[in-house]
Structure formats: C-alpha cells, structure tokens
Amino acid sequence: MSYEKRVARLQDIVAELEGDGVPLDDALRLFEEGIEILRLASDELTTAEGRVELLIERVEGVFETRAIDD
Amino acid sequence: MRRSYRTSVAQPGVESDLFGSSAASRAVAPAAPGSTPETAIPVASITETARAVIEGSFSPLWVRGEVSDFKRHRNGHWYFCLRDASAQVRCVVWSRSQRGIPTSPDEGMEVTAYGQLTVYAARGEMHLNVTAMDAVGDGLWRKAMEETRLRLDRDGLLAAARKRTLPYAPMRVGMVTSPDGAALRDVIAVIRRRAPHVSLVVSAATVQGVNAPAEIVAAIQRICRFGEIDVLIVGRGGGGREDLWAFNDEAVARAIADATVPVITGVGHEIDITIADLVADHRAATPSAAAEAAVPVRADLLAALRGLGDELSSSLTDLAARARSRLEEGATSLKRAAAIDAERRRAAIAATAGRLNALSPLATLARGYAVARASDTRRTLSSIKDFKADDLFTLTVRDGEIVARVTETA
C-alpha cells in the first residue's frame, strides 16, 4: 500500500471510530489496524533513503535504473 | 561546397576572368569567353559565375527590412521580399532552415534576416538564403508562442479544469532534464533537504538546441511508460530565450498534457513563462521551486502522522466513554422502569382495595344498616322465615356485634 493510501485508510478508520454504531469488537479491530498502519507509514518516512537514479530503457518497455553520482 | 566557374570558364594560363578581361590580354590571346559572338558563353555559366562572385564577396549577414509578398510554397519553402523605401531583395527560407525560426513573418513586419546572398540560377535572380530571422521586439517569438497557445487552447489543453492535484506525499519523483544541468543539481539539493526519504528518477533529454523538443517529448513518454513515479518535474535552468525555446514547442506541451502523472514545470528564472508552463498541472518559477512544490517537508508529514495517531487514540477513548455512558444510562432507566412498575402495582393494589372496600358489607353497616346472623352457624338471616321466637342471633352493626333475641315474629 502506498504512503498516501495508508494515510487515507487511517483517516477512514478514525472517522469510523468517531461515528456511532461501531460495535466494540469491531472498534478494537479497527484500532489495531490503525496502529499498524501508523507504524508502517512512520517507518516508511523515517527509514526510506531517497536515491537518485537515471532511467534507461533497454528496449521498449524494458527499464533499468542506474544510480547517478552527484 | 562551392565550385569556381572562374577557372573552368577562363582559359588556362590567361590572366583574365569574365569581369577582368583587359584590352592587352584580348590582343595577344584567343578571344576571351564572351568577348565575341563566337565565344558567347552559356547562360548557366554566367549565373554560376555571378553566384560564385556574390557568395565570395558576401559572408552571411543580417539584413533589415520590411516583409512583402510572403508566400509559403507547397513544398514548404518560404519566399518573400525584404524591402525598404528604395530597394528590395528576394529572400527564400528553405523548409529545413525553418527549424531555427520561431514562425513565419507577417506581411509588412519589420524583420532582421540572417543569410547568405546568392544567385538562384534557375531564375537568374539574386536572393538572400535565410537561415535565421526575428522581428523587431521579439515579434516572431511572441507570434509563434501565441499561435501555439491558440492551438493548445482550441484543444482544451489550457483549461483550468484539466489541472491535476499534486500528490500529497510522493515517494518517487520523476524528472525530465539534462543529467548534467544545474536544474538537476538544484532539484536534488531541495529533495535531500526537505524530504530525504524521496527518490528521484531522471529521464534524460537535451534541453536546448534543435533536437531538444524531440528528446524532451521522448523522455516524458519514456518515464510515463516506466510508470513508477508519483509526480513529474520537467525543466531546466535559466538561459537565453533561444535556450528555453524547446519548452515553447507544441509537441512538448502535448506530451506534458498526455503525461500519466501530474506535471510540474520549472523552466529558467522567475520571469520566463513558457508554453509548457501553461499546460503543466503546476507551474513553478524555477527548478528548485518545482522540487519544493513536488515534495512536502518530512517533518511536516511526520507531524501530520502523529496528529492522526492522536486522533486514533482519542477516537477509541471517546468510543469507550460513550459505551460506558450508554451502559450507565441503561442502568438508570432500568431502575426507573422498575420503580415505575412498582408504583403502578401499588396503585393497582390500592385501587383494588378501594373497590373491595366499596363492596364490603362493612361500608353498608357504616351507613346504618345491620346484619343479622345465626349465632351458631353465622348464616345471614335475611328473611322472617329465618327467625323463630326466642331464637338468639347476632346483630352486626357499624362498630361491633350484639346478641339479640326474637320476641315476636310477624
């Protein structure tokens, strides 16, 4: 799941929990899912290390990327 | 490549040419070509010689004048005259030379044209073979941009409704630019500073010169086929108007419009606005500004994430609190219901008791009646047939009983 999709899911979960009519069992399950998403999203931001790459198309549709020294 | 007709036409060893024959040489040598009817030279020779002389005498130069009789030939070449008050020179722009010229000039436009003066043998005319041109005050560049803008506008590519929203938190940014350019270095620096978790994928293109438009188009299409990017920056650093011209190219604009992800343009400096900028989903003034628009600051993203985490926690706490208060409400109303029920029962009992009381003979006694009953059997004696003389019986009145004796029966 992309970072943005994770954040969107998290927002949905919060909205659902804030609304009425979530049985307590479901609420707990949603909460746990939310905590897990929060952890993954936060990891993605803090541990990912951005690379700079040059895109090369070997033949049409076949790609490779090569690190650019800067 | 120029051939010299001077040597091919003139006699070997004779120090003369078509324009320089002298009386002395005529006297001692066979007649110079063209000096007598017998030595008349062919037309092609004289036009070719004239061409050689003119091309040899004039290096390519800029000529200023007003455009008239402009014609675009079926074969793509442009023909027109440059004139001023007293003179004119015919001009031609071969179709292959038009790539360096923004667009065709308008009739009457004051232009400067750069080219080689030559002679066109087929017509025997002198003309300027034009390879570069501009109108006073960048007129041609402006005209070309306006023409492109109108065509794009007609196709709806400039509509505000087409503009896509930039992604909130891209993880991979694409960039079409020169791998050696300042623009790439600027963008890398901004991304490292703001969002070190974001990767950059470069699709290389020459960004100036005649090949630039085609290369930029190919680079945009290539990175869109690759697909694994969230947003695309197209740009280059500052330069002269002609350096930036590729970004006014219609094909580049259409490739930007067709891109599969939102496009941010960052071309040149603050003041340069290109056709590409008009089509892009977001126009940034410089490559650095494009990078800033593309990636949010990581600390802000983390803060937003923490905020969501807080909301998540409090939403569960609130939910639990709501559940508890619902439970308490339930208990209270249960108690209330039970109390109401008990009260209702009590009232019902009271009402029954009231009715019972009303039916009770004691109430009748209270009004002054008395009940006679047999002393032994307690049977109610309600008829004279129940009484015999001297019988003892009990008479119940409001506040007690008395024993009575029958003295006489009717």
Side-chain angles (χ1 to χ4, degrees):
Chain A
M1 205 195 292
S2 76
Y3 181 84
E4 290 202 12
K5 287 213 177 89
R6 286 201 173 109
V7 169
R9 175 69 188 135
L10 201 52
Q11 284 165 333
D12 285 350
I13 288 174
V14 169
E16 210 170 330
L17 288 178
E18 279 172 350
D20 270 328
V22 187
L24 208 58
D25 273 1
D26 292 351
L28 282 171
R29 198 178 43 70
L30 283 172
F31 180 75
E32 277 165 15
E33 185 190 341
I35 292 292
E36 176 65 4
I37 289 174
L38 204 58
R39 191 183 62 75
L40 291 172
S42 176
D43 280 359
E44 205 172 351
L45 286 186
T46 48
T47 62
E49 211 163 302
R51 295 181 305 275
V52 180
E53 296 165 313
L54 183 68
L55 180 66
I56 296 158
E57 190 170 27
R58 283 278 161 235
V59 291
E60 172 127 1
V62 179
F63 294 97
E64 67 175 55
T65 54
R66 184 188 299 158
I68 293 180
D69 305 322
D70 56 291
Chain B
M1 194 174 65
R2 283 175 206 162
R3 287 171 294 156
S4 167
Y5 268 76
R6 264 184 265 198
T7 52
S8 63
V9 172
Q11 298 291 321
V14 176
E15 297 224 348
S16 68
D17 59 29
L18 282 176
F19 304 96
S21 57
S22 65
S25 63
R26 211 178 291 144
V28 296
S35 59
T36 64
E38 291 72 28
T39 58
I41 56 170
V43 173
S45 295
I46 192 157
T47 54
E48 283 299 335
T49 306
R51 188 175 73 87
V53 168
I54 285 177
E55 288 186 2
S57 310
F58 293 91
S59 43
L61 32 73
W62 285 96
V63 183
R64 187 177 62 244
E66 187 179 291
V67 173
S68 71
D69 299 330
F70 181 89
K71 286 188 186 65
R72 186 192 307 267
H73 196 271
R74 275 199 313 279
N75 55 24
H77 310 317
W78 299 342
Y79 300 95
F80 59 95
C81 279
L82 266 188
R83 62 173 57 171
D84 54 25
S86 58
Q88 69 173 36
V89 61
R90 297 208 60 81
C91 297
V92 61
V93 188
W94 306 120
S95 56
R96 65 169 182 280
S97 303
Q98 289 164 14
R99 284 204 296 184
I101 299 173
T103 190
S104 60
D106 289 336
E107 196 71 19
M109 199 178 250
E110 188 79 25
V111 302
T112 51
Y114 178 82
Q116 172 68 55
L117 198 62
T118 184
V119 169
Y120 182 43
R123 286 178 165 272
E125 285 176 353
M126 181 178 77
H127 71 225
L128 190 65
N129 185 356
V130 176
T131 50
M133 186 171 19
D134 197 12
V136 172
D138 293 345
L140 281 190
W141 298 92
R142 277 212 299 274
K143 182 188 170 202
M145 263 183 85
E146 185 54 20
E147 287 169 348
T148 308
R149 199 189 64 75
L150 283 174
R151 279 193 297 273
L152 296 172
D153 194 31
R154 210 161 43 227
D155 292 347
L157 299 187
L158 307 183
R162 280 194 86 257
K163 308 272 180 222
R164 292 169 284 193
T165 346
L166 300 183
Y168 158 68
M171 297 302 283
R172 209 170 200 194
V173 174
M175 183 168 189
V176 168
T177 195
S178 160
D180 316 313
L184 178 59
R185 285 199 306 279
D186 291 350
V187 166
I188 291 172
V190 170
I191 291 179
R192 289 259 155 86
R193 171 165 54 79
R194 287 170 68 93
H197 61 285
V198 171
S199 287
L200 183 69
V201 184
V202 179
S203 186
T206 296
V207 290
Q208 67 191 66
V210 288
N211 296 326
E215 285 199 24
I216 293 169
V217 168
I220 292 171
Q221 290 169 345
R222 180 164 60 241
I223 202 159
C224 286
R225 279 198 300 277
F226 174 60
E228 295 169 29
I229 54 167
D230 304 310
V231 63
L232 177 62
I233 297 173
V234 176
R236 58 153 290 151
R241 181 195 55 204
E242 286 172 46
D243 296 334
L244 306 185
W245 190 249
F247 294 89
N248 288 319
D249 187 275
E250 186 168 341
V252 168
R254 289 184 186 274
I256 288 173
D258 287 343
T260 51
V261 294
V263 175
I264 305 171
T265 46
V267 179
H269 302 304
E270 310 277 340
I271 50 161
D272 305 310
I273 292 190
T274 64
I275 291 288
D277 290 327
L278 301 179
V279 178
D281 297 292
H282 183 90
R283 184 241 166 190
T286 64
S288 297
E292 280 174 18
V295 296
V297 174
R298 180 166 70 174
D300 293 347
L301 286 179
L302 283 169
L305 212 51
R306 271 195 302 278
L308 265 176
D310 292 347
E311 280 182 52
L312 183 68
S313 304
S314 62
S315 69
L316 192 71
T317 315
D318 291 352
L319 188 109
R322 280 201 307 279
R324 190 167 48 242
S325 82
R326 268 204 301 277
L327 212 60
E328 279 164 5
E329 271 168 32
T332 310
S333 59
L334 202 65
K335 272 187 225 153
R336 197 181 307 127
I340 288 169
D341 195 46
E343 178 57 33
R344 197 177 293 134
R345 279 162 198 269
R346 214 169 17 249
I349 289 166
T352 309
R355 273 205 307 283
L356 275 177
N357 196 42
L359 291 173
S360 159
L362 295 175
T364 312
L365 299 181
R367 294 204 299 277
Y369 293 90
V371 180
R373 278 181 289 192
S375 296
D376 45 357
T377 61
R378 305 293 291 175
R379 195 170 58 85
T380 303
L381 308 172
S382 57
S383 162
I384 54 166
K385 289 179 208 146
D386 295 332
F387 295 92
K388 291 192 295 286
D390 288 331
D391 275 357
L392 287 177
F393 65 95
T394 308
L395 200 60
T396 307
V397 293
R398 178 173 56 86
D399 49 357
E401 291 185 350
I402 49 169
V403 179
R405 183 187 300 274
V406 181
T407 55
E408 189 181 326
T409 55

